[in-house]
Amino acid sequence: MFGDFFSRALIAGVGLAAVTGPLGCFVVWRRMAYFGDTMAHSALLGVALSILLSVNMTLGVFAVAAMVAGALLLLQRQNTLSTDALLGILSHSSLAVGLVIVGFLTQVRIDLMGFLFGDILAVSVEDIAVIYGGGVAILAILWLNWRPLLAATVSPELAEAEGLKPEVSRIILMLLMASVIAIAMKLVGVLLITSLLIIPAATARRLSATPEMMAGVAAVLGAVSVVGGLFGSRTWDTASGPSIVVMALAIFLVSLAVPTARLFGRRA
């Protein structure tokens, strides 16, 4: 029989995968992997500020991630640096500032490795409630905005011509990513969140013929990665978060032997 902590980890991980799968599809389609890393790195700054200001950590991480996304949008409009350069600056700066603030918090004992790599086995019933409550809200917003998000992904110019406001869709997507990072941080850590967003979605892209199918397959593959990674971690006594990502990688490698489907009218 499984312990309560292992059952809670399975429930929480599957719930998180149901959200990261569909959202990760847009990360893959829009080639936003580096942006995902930037948002994830900003999570540590959110943790540090939450402790310093004594505010709820999930809300603190979301607020900082959202501010970093807003800063990127403002800097992009200045047209002084390329997007990848701006992402590099924001990513490493937010991570470094977060580490410096943590260094000053000598009166508080902080499990830095836990924040970096997560500890899904320590998830509580309250954490599960946050994951499923936040996950339902994120998926609902994603579903309501699916058409404008998809149209802006395929062709921003065409979406704008149809009155779908691609810039608004982009802001919504960034806020959804900030939300996922805030609720996922405790499970897989700031350094592994992007992997859970990208790898199942990248695998699903090879196996799907439509965007909707890809979103569903990505969610299922993410759940399989969580379950397989946790059982592997339990069997071989390895770290749970990295084990989940390794399982996702193994599924991706196996998928390379499968002929790709067609997505958006071209090879996926």
Side-chain angles (χ1 to χ4, degrees):
M1 294 296 293
F2 307 130
D4 289 341
F5 70 95
F6 192 81
S7 299
R8 289 195 298 269
L10 285 171
I11 294 170
V14 169
L16 180 61
V19 181
T20 57
L23 190 60
C25 293
F26 284 98
V27 175
V28 172
W29 292 332
R30 291 176 173 239
R31 300 178 182 178
M32 293 174 62
Y34 199 11
F35 174 75
D37 269 334
T38 301
M39 298 283 277
H41 287 173
S42 71
L44 188 59
L45 176 57
V47 169
L49 291 176
S50 298
I51 297 173
L52 183 65
L53 302 175
S54 300
V55 299
N56 179 273
M57 195 169 293
T58 300
L59 292 177
V61 170
F62 170 77
V64 171
M67 285 190 292
V68 169
L72 175 63
L73 289 174
L74 291 175
L75 290 171
Q76 282 180 324
R77 290 177 180 175
Q78 311 236 340
N79 291 322
T80 55
L81 289 172
S82 62
T83 298
D84 61 337
L86 291 173
L87 287 172
I89 293 170
L90 291 172
S91 174
H92 302 299
S93 297
S94 59
L95 180 62
V97 172
L99 290 172
V100 169
I101 293 176
V102 168
F104 282 112
L105 297 174
T106 55
Q107 74 280 10
V108 181
R109 186 175 181 274
I110 300 176
D111 181 11
L112 193 57
M113 293 297 290
F115 287 124
L116 291 175
F117 298 101
D119 188 4
I120 192 172
L121 297 178
V123 70
S124 65
V125 175
E126 291 76 14
D127 294 326
I128 293 176
V130 170
I131 292 164
Y132 276 83
V136 168
I138 291 169
L139 289 177
I141 295 171
L142 192 63
W143 179 74
L144 291 172
N145 292 275
W146 182 264
R147 182 172 174 267
L149 281 170
L150 194 60
T153 299
V154 176
S155 174
E157 295 78 11
L158 183 59
E160 189 170 2
E162 294 180 357
L164 295 177
K165 299 179 180 179
E167 190 65 23
V168 174
S169 297
R170 187 181 181 195
I171 293 172
I172 291 173
L173 184 60
M174 288 181 172
L175 291 177
L176 291 179
M177 287 186 63
S179 301
V180 166
I181 287 167
I183 66 175
M185 178 190 62
K186 186 173 182 179
L187 273 70
V188 293
V190 300
L191 298 183
L192 300 178
I193 291 173
T194 313
S195 300
L196 201 54
L197 280 166
I198 295 173
I199 299 176
T203 307
R205 187 172 190 177
R206 298 183 53 82
L207 309 174
S208 307
T210 67
E212 293 77 15
M213 181 180 177
M214 178 173 164
V217 172
V220 171
L221 292 178
V224 172
S225 299
V226 168
V227 174
L230 284 175
F231 274 99
S233 172
R234 185 172 182 265
T235 301
W236 293 294
D237 193 25
T238 55
S240 54
S243 296
I244 292 171
V245 178
V246 169
M247 183 64 185
L249 174 62
I251 295 173
F252 172 75
L253 294 176
V254 171
S255 76
L256 295 179
V258 180
T260 58
R262 287 188 175 273
L263 187 61
F264 293 144
R266 52 183 164 79
R267 297 295 290 181

